[in-house]
Amino acid sequence: MKVKIYAGLVRRIIYGRKLKEMNFHFQKDESGKYYRKHYDDDDKGGIKRIKKYCRRRFLRCVLSDDSMERSSTYRANFFKHNKGIFGGCKYYFCAYCGRILNKHKTTVDHIIPVALANRSARHKRMLTVRGIKTVNDVRNLAASCLKCNSRKGSSGGLWIIRGYFGRSWIRVLLKEIILLILGGFALYYLYYFILSISLFDFK
Ligand SMILES: [Zn+2]
């Protein structure tokens, strides 16, 4: 169970330090600015205490199910299961643009975004039909560069197809090679096309 505590600027100044002492992490995302902490599902006492703490201080406290939430370990989990190009654990392809990335520059993207899985039943079903129980399952993760990751944001559609396609580095490599060959052919024909026009003109 994840506990999120939303607080405005003033309350952040007053209670921010105390919440950090209680091991809450400050976070900013599409749902706003909040402090978050993970509680075990059977830690009923802890959850009750924090709810009481918030009620007394007029802090908005939201509990959410972990399975459709971004976990703190998905990144590590991704790298554990995906060894990258040639299994070296050093380089990864961006699933979306095919750029080669150093491991420390690789961001791990949720192919079906967390926000969509929370909001839309259709996207949640796209996960469950494949037997995926949480958005943080490695099958829903892909390596991505920072640029594509932020461009994608929480959009679905074609991004999801590209994400699934680009999940395997071999497929990305094949795609890049095919594009390179096609590009080569195009340049080759363009070159002769221009040559033939200019020859025609000058004669
Ligand atoms: Zn990219």
Side-chain angles (χ1 to χ4, degrees):
M1 190 70 83
K2 181 176 278 179
V3 175
K4 289 181 182 178
I5 298 177
Y6 290 88
L9 180 65
V10 178
R11 288 204 181 87
R12 278 211 300 280
I13 293 169
I14 302 173
Y15 301 117
R17 246 181 67 193
K18 179 77 188 149
L19 285 169
K20 271 183 188 150
E21 277 170 22
M22 288 158 74
N23 286 326
F24 273 87
H25 295 279
F26 182 65
Q27 200 170 327
K28 242 184 344 188
D29 63 21
E30 58 264 31
S31 70
K33 294 174 181 170
Y34 56 86
Y35 293 89
R36 65 167 170 80
K37 185 180 172 181
H38 181 268
Y39 281 86
D40 283 331
D41 280 354
D42 26 288
D43 185 11
K44 298 266 190 294
I47 295 172
K48 212 169 153 186
R49 268 198 301 280
I50 193 68
K51 274 164 89 176
K52 197 169 158 190
Y53 178 89
C54 293
R55 206 165 45 238
R56 289 198 172 157
R57 287 162 183 80
F58 300 105
L59 294 162
R60 189 158 70 90
C61 171
V62 176
L63 301 180
S64 57
D65 182 12
D66 284 332
S67 70
M68 291 299 151
E69 281 282 334
R70 194 183 296 272
S71 79
S72 55
T73 53
Y74 73 91
R75 187 179 157 84
N77 201 26
F78 174 81
F79 288 124
K80 208 169 95 187
H81 287 90
N82 290 281
K83 305 279 182 224
I85 302 172
F86 295 116
C89 279
K90 275 190 174 163
Y91 299 102
Y92 290 82
F93 276 121
C94 169
Y96 304 103
C97 66
R99 199 191 311 176
I100 296 174
L101 304 160
N102 235 326
K103 187 181 171 182
H104 69 270
K105 281 195 175 164
T106 306
T107 65
V108 177
D109 179 57
H110 287 86
I111 299 175
I112 294 190
V114 180
L116 266 188
N118 270 310
R119 209 167 48 214
S120 129
R122 189 166 63 88
H123 287 91
K124 204 177 274 184
R125 219 166 30 242
M126 281 166 81
L127 290 170
T128 47
V129 289
R130 290 167 56 230
I132 301 177
K133 289 196 179 70
T134 96
V135 273
N136 302 300
D137 193 295
V138 278
R139 285 171 287 171
N140 190 43
L141 299 174
S144 159
C145 67
L146 193 61
K147 206 171 158 190
C148 291
N149 203 337
S150 50
R151 265 181 63 206
K152 182 187 174 210
S154 51
S155 34
L158 209 58
W159 282 102
I160 293 177
I161 298 166
R162 285 169 73 190
Y164 280 128
F165 185 83
R167 235 163 50 83
S168 138
W169 66 269
I170 296 175
R171 274 185 298 207
V172 180
L173 188 68
L174 280 176
K175 187 187 90 182
E176 294 297 307
I177 290 172
I178 290 168
L179 284 179
L180 212 66
I181 293 171
L182 287 179
F185 271 122
L187 273 178
Y188 178 82
Y189 283 112
L190 190 70
Y191 173 73
Y192 279 100
F193 177 67
I194 291 169
L195 214 64
S196 65
I197 294 174
S198 44
L199 280 177
F200 184 73
D201 278 345
F202 287 118
K203 266 184 180 175

